[in-house]
Amino acid sequence: LKRGSCMLLHADVAEEVISQHPAVRWISVLYARQFIAHMNRRRMSDWFHPPDVEAWDQEAIEAAAEEAADLPFEAELPRHIQSAVVKACVRLARQVACHGLPEKQPHHGFTIIVGDPAQLSSCGHSDFNPFSSYDLSVLDRKTCDTIWRNAFHSDGAIVIDGCAGKVVASGWFVKDSSQGGNEGGARSKSAKAVAQQAGGCFVIKCSEDSCGKLVLHLGTKSSIFDSPLKADVEHV
């Protein structure tokens, strides 16, 4: 027999921990697929050995990997928006959309605006900005938990510095949403509008009823995104 270790962890606790780390969540889904494939090849019994990593089903690995997708519009990002910042924001948005907020609270829809803070200053405002005195960046994993716990509770958008990844504001409202068209609610119109302002913004919008699906805007372009990023898989 091979030596191993056993740890007892309550299912709810395990889910909460795994949901905070996209790479861990991905490998957990991958293992679950391998476990099912392994059991389907065996005669049902109360006694079984878990699948060895060396014997994992390659087709199941490829199927899981195919679910990951490239970041839309990555090649079209303006100079004031870095790809790493956008990807960090998309991962954070996916975490909230899929798993909600701390203490198992559901999210109520949100918008993340990634752009140039200086140019955005004339495009909207925040009546109360709890992040004005803090230096928190979505690129720093140690502070992402603080952002997750505090940035998604208020109305209005979260504004991120496209170069540094710093949280500029939360509860931020777009001044002019006339470029957002006539379809959708206020959040949809504002997201479409601000994507075309301040030299171009990358905007992530999540509806209240979303369990993972995001709508991404850059300039006049839009895309529905409902997958983990390929970078998450490559990071593993």
Side-chain angles (χ1 to χ4, degrees):
L1 294 177
K2 295 182 179 180
R3 289 188 176 184
S5 58
C6 180
M7 179 177 63
L8 178 62
L9 188 63
H10 194 280
D12 290 341
V13 177
E15 181 181 359
E16 182 178 355
V17 173
I18 290 172
S19 68
Q20 298 179 34
H21 304 280
V24 177
R25 185 168 65 249
W26 179 84
I27 201 67
S28 299
V29 172
L30 179 58
Y31 181 80
R33 289 170 181 254
Q34 294 294 334
F35 187 87
I36 293 171
H38 177 68
M39 294 301 296
N40 286 340
R41 290 193 296 265
R42 297 174 56 86
R43 183 177 179 180
M44 296 302 294
S45 170
D46 292 335
W47 294 91
F48 63 89
H49 294 286
D52 291 329
V53 175
E54 294 83 358
W56 277 17
D57 187 339
Q58 186 62 32
E59 290 186 4
I61 295 176
E62 291 175 354
E66 287 175 356
E67 294 183 357
D70 291 317
L71 176 69
F73 318 131
E74 183 172 9
E76 304 168 51
L77 293 175
R79 295 181 63 182
H80 58 270
I81 299 178
Q82 298 298 311
S83 175
V85 174
V86 174
K87 288 180 178 179
C89 290
V90 170
R91 293 189 190 103
L92 180 59
R94 283 273 301 168
Q95 175 186 331
V96 177
C98 292
H99 303 285
L101 298 170
E103 311 301 330
K104 298 184 179 180
Q105 294 296 313
H107 70 82
H108 299 289
F110 58 87
T111 301
I112 300 176
I113 302 169
V114 185
D116 182 350
Q119 295 189 69
L120 279 168
S121 62
S122 61
C123 299
H125 69 280
S126 175
D127 293 330
F128 173 69
N129 179 16
F131 293 94
S132 59
S133 301
Y134 296 92
D135 187 12
L136 301 178
S137 172
V138 294
L139 298 176
D140 185 350
R141 292 190 176 185
K142 294 180 180 179
T143 64
C144 276
D145 182 70
T146 302
I147 299 170
W148 173 54
R149 291 179 179 278
N150 296 280
F152 293 89
H153 295 284
S154 60
D155 293 331
I158 302 164
V159 178
I160 305 294
D161 185 326
C163 286
K166 179 181 177 180
V167 183
V168 178
S170 65
W172 193 87
F173 292 90
V174 178
K175 183 185 298 183
D176 181 7
S177 59
S178 60
Q179 292 177 284
N182 298 318
E183 298 181 0
R187 181 180 287 123
S188 295
K189 293 177 182 177
S190 295
K192 292 178 185 178
V194 76
Q196 304 173 57
Q197 300 172 19
C201 297
F202 194 103
V203 182
I204 304 165
K205 186 193 77 72
C206 180
S207 300
E208 185 174 1
D209 59 353
S210 172
C211 294
K213 183 175 74 174
L214 307 172
V215 180
L216 309 180
H217 303 284
L218 178 66
T220 58
K221 295 185 176 181
S222 301
S223 176
I224 294 175
F225 191 79
D226 193 6
S227 304
L229 285 170
K230 277 189 177 179
D232 291 335
V233 179
E234 293 167 1
H235 182 73
V236 176

